[in-house]
Amino acid sequence: MLSHFNFRVILQYLPLFLKGLWATSWISAISIFFALLLGVLACSMRLSSTGFLKKTAGVYIESMRATPLLAQLYFFYFGLPTLHINLNEIQTGILALSLNSGAYIAEIVRAGIVSIPDGQTEAGTAYGLTYLQRMRYIILPQALGVTIPALLGQFIVLVKDSSLVSLISVLELTRAGQLMASERFMPTEGFFTVAAFYLVIYFVLKYLSTLWQNRLIYREP
Amino acid sequence: MYAFYFKSLIHSLPLFFKGLWITILVSGISLVAGTVLGIICGIFRTVKRWGLSRIMGAYADYMRGVPFLVHIFIIYFILPEVGIQLEPFPAAAIALTIYAGAYISEIVAAGILSVPRGQREAATAYGLNAFQQMRHIVFPQAFKVILPPLVGEYVLLIKDSSIVSVIGLTDVTRVGWLTVQRIPEGIMVFGLVGILYFVICYPLIHLSHILEKKVSYDAQ
């Protein structure tokens, strides 16, 4: 298999792979941005004392976590046109990825917020801060610091999950490999190159996560 | 029109249940095999000899870095190049097993490392060999820590099994995909698919939460 590994064809397809890498990167970046917003929103809804908000966030989070992303992706891809909402494939992909990741981020942020001692909230209340001010100035800065490694972990998952949008024919990294495999009948070269590119992204993110963790440990004493 | 589509969806319910059975079967088999593989690799991960820890770390890193979709393409399209032709079902089961095994090995390794060193030292002092230590002292204690994330991992496994539909295995996601070509009501069809997954996964997520609470309660 490896004895006749054809590097020349990989070089020939390199522009396509780089295009795919770029698409994977920006689709993941936009999705993680929206997912963060959604996650923080859903989390604060879930922790609020209003029953309705709490339930809505609960239903959102649980339904996203208990169903596969692929089913969600198809749900939006085949379902939105019947509601006369026309999004293109990339927009549908970003929508599904953000909604899916948002639910996981809500749980991560919640774990971070719960880990902040009650005394912090009480002190904030004693200073006369409102709920939003407490969140903005006291709880969230601390909670997000603790959760950065978990959030980077979720980002890694999101980058991997973004490979699924190739199934609704968005040209990204996995799709580039599929194209090469089918055009040249070279699945070995195609898919191993794709795997190598994903591993590069993975190790960069893992390195960032380690850096941050070391910083947290360093700052503690 | 809705009524008509709804009726024909009801008529194709048996297909969905057949798909659900395939989903349960493929994830059930890989769940058992993946747990066995994960426990073995997780124990190896904590062994500091013969580079075992490094090899297992590389295995886990590879699986955590490469999407499952690419992984299943590698198993299904590249193995034939070296003369191993697999049907979709075994290919899916093998891919899921190897994938879940990596994640489970990380969970098991973390659980084993959470057992205090003194326990092992005491066992050595009692004259237990490495296997007996693992079997009677370390693993039973690690198991409590391992169980909640392990159940969580099973949920991920069942959800990841939806991706095997791309190599033509007729699981519940693929049944949905086939049905939506006939009944063009994506919300209805994939709503049903979602409900079927939810029915399996939600109790497991709940179980994982309960176990987690129990473990943190015991620790106090």
Side-chain angles (χ1 to χ4, degrees), chain A residues 72-81 87-89 92 167-169:
Chain A
Q72 292 160 15
L73 192 65
Y74 284 154
F75 181 83
F76 293 121
Y77 184 61
F78 292 112
L80 289 182
L87 298 177
N88 67 24
E89 288 85 356
T92 313
L167 297 176
I168 55 171
S169 63

Side-chain angles (χ1 to χ4, degrees), chain A residues 103-136:
Chain A
Y104 287 92
I105 288 177
E107 288 294 278
I108 294 172
V109 174
R110 188 170 74 126
I113 289 177
V114 171
S115 77
I116 306 296
D118 286 341
Q120 299 280 330
T121 312
E122 285 157 14
T125 319
Y127 267 91
L129 300 181
T130 65
Y131 173 76
L132 275 182
Q133 285 172 326
R134 283 199 312 264
M135 272 293 165
R136 164 76 185 76

Side-chain angles (χ1 to χ4, degrees), chain A residues 42-49 54 109-110 113-114 131 135:
Chain A
C43 171
S44 30
M45 277 166 70
R46 195 164 208 194
L47 292 175
S48 78
S49 44
K54 207 173 181 161
V109 174
R110 188 170 74 126
I113 289 177
V114 171
Y131 173 76
M135 272 293 165

